[in-house]
Amino acid sequence: MLCFGAGPLSGTGVPLSSRIEVSALSPYSGILGDGNAGGAFAHRLKRAGYDQVVITGRAERPKYLWIDNAHVELRDAAGLWGKTTWETADALVAAHGKEISTACIGPAGENLVRFAGTIVDKYNSAARGSGAVLGSKHLKAVAVRGTTPVPAADPKTFRRLVDLDRRFFATDPIQRDKVAVYGSHVGMVEWRPGYRYFQKYLEAEEVPVSLRPESWKRFEIGRKGCHGCSVACKNVFRIPEGPRAGETGAALEFEAIYCMGVNAGIEDPVAIMEYGNLADLYGMDVIALGNAVAFAKKLFELGIITEADAGVSLAWTDAAAQAELIHRTALREGFGNRLAEGMLNLARLLGPEAVKYCYHVKGLSRGTFPTGLFALAHATSTRGADHLRGRSWAFGENDPVLYPELVRRGFLPADPEKAPVASLVVSESATTLADALGRCKGAVNTWGCAVPLVGAFPLFDGLGRLLTALTGEDFDEASLGGGIAPRIWAVERCFNIRQGCIRRHDALPQPPDIAESLEGREQVKAHEALLTEYYRTREYDPDTGVPTLDLMERLDIRDVFERTVMGLPYPEWDGPTLWPLERYPRGGVRV
């Protein structure tokens, strides 16, 4: 089953609300696998009259789904199979008109690459393996045209609140002077990117000058934003030289520069732009792709794999060889067939020594962190180690005015590092609601982006007013923060329990030398204490991490409890199911 979900704010005039949620059982992690993409798809889907598109089954031959307001049909996609995502999107626009939006897969999805993404409007990626799910269904694309306005129950109040939200983005200096100028590139000097497979995390002064935010401007030929966004956080660039000279691209985010760049040993900006375009064309998640490549290079450095095993250089600085690895991964050629399995499955295929160096939580990786808020957020995230499920919003580095006000009003602790559990639970609610709403969390992680009207009516009161005016149903701080957000989180938690994930999987990844030391054992002990506090705060069983029956009944989801928790114990999760590598489809045209 695969679901495209547009939020209640999508298709309206609310800014930053054209995010589409693409959800499935992830072939990459074996647990909840939802990805979130921008563009115009959510806006057009909602204006076509749909909140959710749920796809089951498998076509015998390649198809694409055409949604034209109330008209829905499957059409032949034989001529699109084998095409890149850009070629597919262009062909669908040529067939149906410029007012459509597309979500499609490339050769990586067709070849069931575990971390193949769904590419929306050419440059926006929904990750966690949804592209492989679409490929397994022979569904090349979904194209949608929606032209019906979304009505508001109280249009006057709704317009007033939307105008207030828009005013924030027009006047906030962070959005105007930072996000609109650099987008997520600021992360290269503010968020300590990993270096050579998390060997260390780079301070601002250690980041190569060529990869700092201002340096990317020399390649920039424009800015763009998703539908209804006035900020335009995404860069449009042209590659000046090399094998893809003259090619343009867009939305080269911090994660691409970090994961396929410095964390994989590459410091050449031209090469990184090339990798970004290759990932979009083939349809692959840049984080998972970069992590797999960096992991392979680390294993080569350790002597666990050899260059003969890989069939191509695994030297940290060999930019051309890394491009070759990307091609081979998308087409499942040679060693690329193993890389296409992702970090965790690659480690499992190589054996216990490789597994020791696979720094992951439930199949996803953000590297290693000492005990504290970062590590706790990565551990409890419902889709594996993740920077968008809570952690980023627990700090106020990009909210110099708003964050202190939220602290003063008692919504957030003054020092999140001293109260990580309290900070994290509130942050998880904010990010959960943002995803459910179709709202962008913002390029630099601010409360004003993730939570509409939080500056005017903290914390979720402004959002409640907005939803009430839109839907005619009553929403407020208590129903959103105390009911809807924890209900979504508990359902996601139970989904993963059904896949065999319990307390021990909310782990603290550690390098072997740390794990085997007294310091490492003390860190694990401290992490376990935070987990216990977290579960008690969430009203989960502190011994297992399983939501309690009392909580599930109060959240009105006893049925979820009965269908999941009452079936315990399940076979314990140890990663996504391994297939014999020869079973996969492979090959295709190199882009």
Side-chain angles (χ1 to χ4, degrees), residues 387-407:
H387 64 299
L388 292 171
R389 276 295 206 255
R391 187 280 307 165
S392 298
W393 283 263
F395 291 101
E397 68 267 35
N398 291 315
D399 285 307
V401 176
L402 177 56
Y403 186 85
E405 178 62 16
L406 294 176
V407 171

Side-chain angles (χ1 to χ4, degrees), residues 355-376:
V355 170
K356 289 198 310 187
Y357 292 91
C358 184
Y359 311 141
H360 74 96
V361 180
K362 298 187 282 286
L364 270 65
S365 178
R366 296 299 297 178
T368 62
F369 291 91
T371 302
L373 182 56
F374 275 42
L376 182 65

Side-chain angles (χ1 to χ4, degrees), residues 38-39 65 166 169 180-181 201 215 288 304 310 320 357 359 368 414 509 528 570 576:
L65 180 63
R166 286 189 175 279
F169 292 102
V181 177
Y201 292 89
S215 297
I304 295 173
Y357 292 91
Y359 311 141
T368 62
E528 291 296 319
Y570 295 104

Side-chain angles (χ1 to χ4, degrees), residues 4 22 29 71 124 130 133 168 192 206 214 217 244-245 265 271 292 320 357 399-400 421 449 487 541 571:
F4 287 86
V22 187
S29 63
H71 176 77
N124 307 278
S130 61
V133 178
F168 166 78
R192 301 179 70 236
E206 296 178 294
E214 60 276 7
K217 286 295 182 182
R244 309 195 77 82
Y357 292 91
D399 285 307
V421 171
C449 289
R487 179 163 62 244
D541 184 324

